[in-house]
């Protein structure tokens, strides 16, 4: 946050205090704009007291007399529980009398802000859904638009913005269940009017100036683009990074928003993309193969947007089912908490339930099902291959494979205690860590797989993949490993993306009995 009256930027200071990735302290700090702090650490003023492990950037009240920010501590993740801290600001720019005014261990607040007249706004899931609240002058907290929808999301990065107060008292909000929309909320009446347009996913990056709101949005037919809404006229227009079709859009698949049912008849949300190619017609007597996609996070979700990687497979006769398994965000806290201490169980069961349902209803070939995912989705993929013979093959991308290693010193500070909620505290349930880890059950894997790994990955380090492969050696299971130099957690280089997609397609072609001469043949070793 720029503080022009003091010629400072107020931000989060993070500094390492030791050699381990978890030797970190964080505080709200003021950095002078004259550049003096570049060579002089003492020029940085620490504003918060450092008693919380994680803090977000401060939000200054309109009169400049108060500041609010969000904080939380291990072992909680920010979607588990956070606190809103409020402090007064002294004439010399220091924080004083900091106190908690909202939130707690079982309440997630991912964003705070201020109305133009100086009332505190925040998003909270105290009702079971991330809804927007306002604090009145007497300290009472009121919901502004209570409904079973999300007006916020997981705070994977500090500074996410799902709402933006406007000068006229209205509030721009991102909201929805699963898919999201941009709306303008009247806090007095509770009326919410959505902006017109095709977009189904809005990134938490709202900004506003006067009566204009700017966001980043995408749809099943368009990639992310910068969109402006004029609240006076209700008109929307693309103002930056307009979508450009790199291929003929007639090859894009049309997603089907589906709800399936898993164990205990629980709902499972998914997007199903049937094979589609205007130049090819599938044989009437042949069901298509399908690949289940498990998203990362696992506290994330598969957005309803154009993904050319999906189109790559659907245009080649392979269907895709993106599964927002239990634990995904966008469907309320109860849905999110299905994964509490059940990672490797609920996610695996939900993906399998969707695959089985597609086969049972005659949409997919039951003998040609596969699963793939990256990061936490790589974990779900590997765990699925260990626990089920449903899939003919799988693609495991920069995965977590060894829970005990990952829980100790093989990841960064933010996620270093994530497994406390996903699996349980390691010192209390160590056997569960071994029971769930795919690396400890490689003898159960019988399906061919492709393992893709970035060598610079510090979140899911290559050491895990290498230990996994060492245990697979000589077991007679066809597999391939491709490690990419210069890649970390999430592939970005064009050559990497091309090679990874072609290798994955070759795996499916060989496993499903499809003749393909347009991609290099992936060499599978045993």
């Amino acid at each position: 946050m720029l503080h022009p009256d003091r010629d400072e930027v107020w931000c989060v200071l993070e500094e390492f205090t030791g050699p381990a990735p978890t030797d970190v302290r964080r505080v709200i700090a003021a950095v002078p704009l004259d550049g003096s702090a570049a060579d002089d650490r003492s020029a940085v003023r620490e504003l918060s007291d450092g008693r919380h492990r994680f803090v977000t950037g401060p939000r200054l009240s309109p009169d400049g007399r108060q500041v609010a920010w969000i904080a939380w501590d291990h072992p909680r993740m920010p979607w588990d529980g956070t606190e809103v801290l409020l402090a007064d600001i002294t004439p010399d720019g220091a924080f004083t009398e900091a106190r908690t005014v909202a939130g707690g261990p079982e309440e997630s607040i991912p964003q705070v802000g201020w109305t133009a007249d100086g009332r505190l706004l925040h998003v909270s899931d105290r009702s079971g859904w991330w809804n927007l609240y306002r604090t009145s002058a007497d300290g009472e907290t009121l919901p502004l638009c209570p409904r079973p929808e999300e007006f916020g999301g997981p705070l994977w990065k500090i500074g996410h913005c799902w709402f933006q107060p406007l000068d006229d008292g209205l509030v721009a909000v991102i909201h929805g269940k699963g898919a999201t929309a941009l709306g303008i909320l009247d806090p007095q009446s509770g009326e919410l009017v959505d902006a017109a347009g095709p977009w189904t996913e809005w990134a938490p990056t709202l900004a506003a100036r006067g009566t204009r709101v700017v966001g980043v949005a995408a749809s099943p037919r368009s990639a992310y683009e910068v969109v402006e809404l004029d609240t006076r006229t209700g008109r929307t227009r693309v103002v930056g990074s307009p979508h450009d079709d790199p291929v003929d859009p007639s090859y894009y698949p049309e997603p089907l928003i589906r709800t399936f049912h898993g164990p205990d008849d629980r709902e499972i949300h998914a997007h199903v993309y049937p094979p589609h190619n205007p130049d090819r017609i599938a044989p009437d007597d042949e069901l298509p193969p399908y690949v289940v996609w498990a998203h990362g996070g696992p506290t994330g979700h598969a957005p309803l947007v154009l993904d050319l990687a999906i189109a790559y497979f659907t245009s080649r006769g392979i269907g895709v089912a993106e599964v927002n398994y239990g634990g995904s965000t966008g469907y309320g806290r109860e849905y999110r908490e299905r994964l509490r201490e059940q990672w490797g169980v609920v996610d695996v069961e939900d993906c399998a339930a969707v695959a089985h349902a597609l086969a049972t209803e005659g949409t997919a070939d039951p003998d040609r099902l596969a699963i793939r995912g990256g990061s936490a989705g790589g974990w779900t993929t590997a765990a699925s291959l260990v626990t089920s013979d449903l899939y003919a093959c799988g693609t495991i991308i920069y995965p977590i494979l060894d829970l005990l290693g990952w829980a100790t010193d093989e990841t960064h500070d933010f996620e270093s205690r994530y497994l406390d909620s996903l699996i349980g505290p390691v010192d209390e349930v160590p056997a569960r860590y071994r029971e769930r880890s795919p690396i400890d059950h490689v003898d159960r894997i019988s399906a061919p797989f492709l393992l893709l790994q970035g060598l610079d990955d510090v979140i899911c380090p290559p050491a895990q993949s290498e230990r996994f492969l060492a245990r697979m050696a000589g077991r007679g299971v066809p597999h391939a490993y491709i490690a990419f130099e210069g890649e970390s957690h999430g592939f970005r280089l064009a050559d990497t993306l091309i090679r990874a997609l072609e290798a994955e397609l070759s795996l499916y072609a060989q496993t499903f009995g499809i003749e393909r001469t347009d991609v290099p043949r992936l060499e599978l070793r045993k």
Side-chain angles (χ1 to χ4, degrees), residues 502-516:
E502 290 183 342
E504 186 175 352
L505 179 59
S506 180
L507 171 70
Y508 301 148
Q510 293 181 56
T511 306
F512 297 153
I514 302 171
E515 289 293 331
R516 297 217 68 95

Side-chain angles (χ1 to χ4, degrees), residues 277-284:
N277 187 316
D279 301 326
R280 299 286 187 272
I281 298 177
D284 292 335

Side-chain angles (χ1 to χ4, degrees), residues 26 32 48 65 131 226 273 296 377 383 387 389 402 462 479 511:
R26 299 175 183 86
S48 61
R65 299 172 61 183
N131 279 189
V226 182
Y273 295 82
T387 59
D389 59 0
D402 180 357
H479 66 277
T511 306

Side-chain angles (χ1 to χ4, degrees), residues 413-435:
D413 184 55
F414 176 66
E415 293 184 81
S416 62
R417 298 292 300 277
Y418 197 1
L419 297 183
D420 281 43
S421 59
L422 292 176
I423 304 294
V426 65
D427 56 344
E428 296 179 14
V429 290
R432 188 182 298 165
Y433 280 64
R434 290 186 291 271
E435 175 188 342

